[in-house]
Amino acid sequence: MGGLQKRSAGIVVSVCLTAAAGLSMLLPPPGLLALAIAMTCLWSWDPGVARALDSAGLNRRLLVLTGGGILVAAAVANLVFGGQLDGHLMYRGDFQTYYVGAEVGIRHGWSHLFDEGLQRSLWSAAFGGRAPFIPYLNTPPQAWLVAPLALLPFPAAYAAWVAAMVLSTIVTAWLLAPATGSGLGFTLVAATALWVLAYSLASGQNAVIGALAIVLCWRLAATGHPAWAGVALALILVRPNATFMVPLALLVAGRRRLFASWLVTSLVAGTVVLVSLGPGGVRQFLELGSEIRRTHPGAVTMTVSHIMGDGVIGIAASLTLTAVALGAARRSGPERLEVAVAAGVLASVFLTPYIHIQDYLTLLAAAAMVALSTLRGSFGLVLAALLLAAPPGSLFGAAWAAVLLVVEVGWLGWLAWAPGSSAQAHEGGKSNEGGEITSSPW
């Protein structure tokens, strides 16, 4: 193909990709499918795929320009048309539960934190009929974090909390950003295009804390600070839904010092939690937790037990997938921390009794860690699939949760059958023996 003909073909394909991304924004949520197209353009594919794209006129520069333009458009579409930033979630999100939980602890003592009767009475006093009652069923540390804000009027407390979560998002993006001049900007724009992030922030959710915990742990360990990495990982006490198996994954991967630091920190924090609750508070927590699966079906939509049933088949599938995930963590070894963390996140998702769509942020953060840490171009397929299956899953209708599980199992397969440590290093993987980040696929 001649040079001019090749360039013309590349421009035509680029225009078609841009048009497809534009049309995809007609499907809810706007920008999500376009984000997947953008990331496909921006990903560094294997040499064979790169040569095929180049022969079609899609050289690297044109792909970056196309992907970058689509990415910005996806972010704008999500912010403007996503429907999450109009303020309606201030009273119909999750921060109300944190606020009321903190009020219960301050007024009646932390041993009554999970007293549903007290929660209902304070909810009614604070919000009246403005929002349906949602019980507080987060961990006590979350209520402690919000306690100072409970002294403020609710709108001011909500604004302060959302600002703190936005700051946490920026820190997480900075830790995940590729080591290039435009890395942070690229990561922030990509994050802005995520419907689930906008929803999480607008509803005052704390899900970004789970993502921050694993990313901060990864970075600290990669820079030779395993003890501090374990302390950082203890943040999962605030949001354990998609992270509670990460410490065990790190242990089987050989990160014993990191695990020991996490264990000591968690034991101290756990002791404080148990003392603050007392036997009665623990009992109320367990009783309230058992009701959630019945009263709030949205909390179990993404669980294996919901998709495959609570019977023997569902339990066997959950345990088998968890065992495979831990096997992948063990095989990764101590030098590939990001693989062990990702395997731990997947194990948590397979085993958890309930999880929310906001916790998908933790899966995406773990995926970003792997994306930043490997030159295996095949992971681009996993990343694109994770974005296509991201909540709310409108593209797949009622089958969304099942599609999501298939994507998660596919990612697990990629982790489990990845090259070994020495092969990974030969192939271009990022980690040396100390876990230091040395390269990026972007």
Side-chain angles (χ1 to χ4, degrees):
M1 184 183 293
L4 180 59
Q5 186 180 3
K6 184 177 178 180
R7 285 195 295 271
S8 299
I11 292 172
V12 170
V13 175
S14 176
V15 170
C16 290
L17 285 171
T18 304
L23 289 173
S24 75
M25 293 185 193
L26 299 176
L27 300 172
L32 186 58
L33 296 181
L35 174 59
I37 295 173
M39 298 301 289
T40 301
C41 292
L42 293 167
W43 183 256
S44 290
W45 296 99
D46 287 325
V49 177
R51 283 192 297 270
L53 292 172
D54 185 68
S55 66
L58 290 170
N59 58 52
R60 184 63 185 162
R61 182 180 181 185
L62 183 58
L63 280 171
V64 169
L65 288 174
T66 303
I70 295 173
L71 183 63
V72 171
V76 172
N78 182 47
L79 293 178
V80 176
F81 304 111
Q84 307 307 313
L85 305 182
D86 59 3
H88 78 283
L89 286 174
M90 181 169 74
Y91 287 100
R92 291 189 173 273
D94 292 87
F95 182 70
Q96 309 99 290
T97 67
Y98 308 158
Y99 187 83
V100 167
E103 279 198 319
V104 170
I106 292 172
R107 296 188 184 188
H108 301 282
W110 297 108
S111 62
H112 296 284
L113 178 60
F114 297 107
D115 187 317
E116 188 174 354
L118 290 176
Q119 290 184 23
R120 284 185 179 275
S121 64
L122 289 177
W123 184 283
S124 178
F127 310 120
R130 188 174 296 180
F133 172 72
I134 303 174
Y136 179 84
L137 195 60
N138 287 262
T139 61
Q142 172 59 44
W144 300 343
L145 284 176
V146 176
L149 301 181
L151 304 176
L152 301 174
F154 179 77
Y158 166 82
W161 178 255
V162 170
M165 293 302 97
V166 169
L167 179 60
S168 298
T169 300
I170 293 173
V171 172
T172 304
W174 174 65
L175 293 170
L176 286 171
T180 62
S182 58
L184 178 58
F186 163 81
T187 306
L188 285 173
V189 173
T192 304
L194 287 168
W195 181 92
V196 68
L197 176 61
Y199 176 74
S200 179
L201 294 175
S203 63
Q205 256 279 353
N206 65 354
V208 71
I209 295 178
L212 176 60
I214 62 168
V215 173
L216 185 57
C217 169
W218 169 60
R219 280 292 186 178
L220 287 169
T223 52
H225 301 285
W228 284 112
V231 173
L233 187 59
L235 279 172
I236 66 175
L237 286 170
V238 177
R239 186 75 182 189
N241 305 51
T243 55
F244 66 95
M245 290 294 288
V246 172
L248 181 57
L250 292 173
L251 176 62
V252 300
R255 288 279 183 164
R256 287 182 287 274
R257 186 178 175 191
L258 194 162
F259 177 83
S261 175
W262 166 84
L263 183 61
V264 171
T265 306
S266 299
L267 285 175
V268 172
T271 300
V272 175
V273 167
L274 291 176
V275 170
S276 70
L277 289 178
V282 172
R283 184 183 67 254
Q284 288 176 332
F285 172 76
L286 295 175
E287 291 173 352
L288 195 57
S290 65
E291 294 178 11
I292 290 297
R293 291 181 62 84
R294 176 179 55 83
T295 59
H296 292 76
V300 301
T301 302
M302 292 169 58
T303 62
V304 174
S305 60
H306 173 78
I307 298 168
M308 305 193 70
D310 292 321
V312 175
I313 294 177
I315 294 173
S318 180
L319 292 177
T320 299
L321 290 170
T322 300
V324 174
L326 292 177
R330 183 178 183 277
R331 187 168 178 267
S332 71
E335 64 272 16
R336 289 196 292 158
L337 180 69
E338 68 285 342
V339 173
V341 171
V345 169
L346 286 173
S348 303
V349 172
F350 295 143
L351 204 57
T352 186
Y354 66 91
I355 193 170
H356 298 273
I357 60 173
Q358 296 92 329
D359 291 299
Y360 203 71
L361 291 174
T362 303
L363 274 82
L364 291 177
M369 289 164 48
V370 175
L372 188 63
S373 308
T374 182
L375 291 182
R376 294 179 67 215
S378 56
F379 187 69
L381 298 174
V382 177
L383 191 59
L386 285 168
L387 291 173
L388 286 173
S394 303
L395 181 65
F396 305 103
W400 165 68
V403 171
L404 175 60
L405 179 60
V406 169
V407 171
E408 291 166 350
V409 172
W411 182 12
L412 175 60
W414 188 94
L415 293 175
W417 281 279
S421 300
S422 59
Q424 175 78 359
H426 176 73
E427 191 173 338
K430 69 92 186 172
S431 296
N432 57 24
E433 289 187 0
E436 183 180 357
I437 297 167
T438 58
S439 63
S440 164
W442 302 107

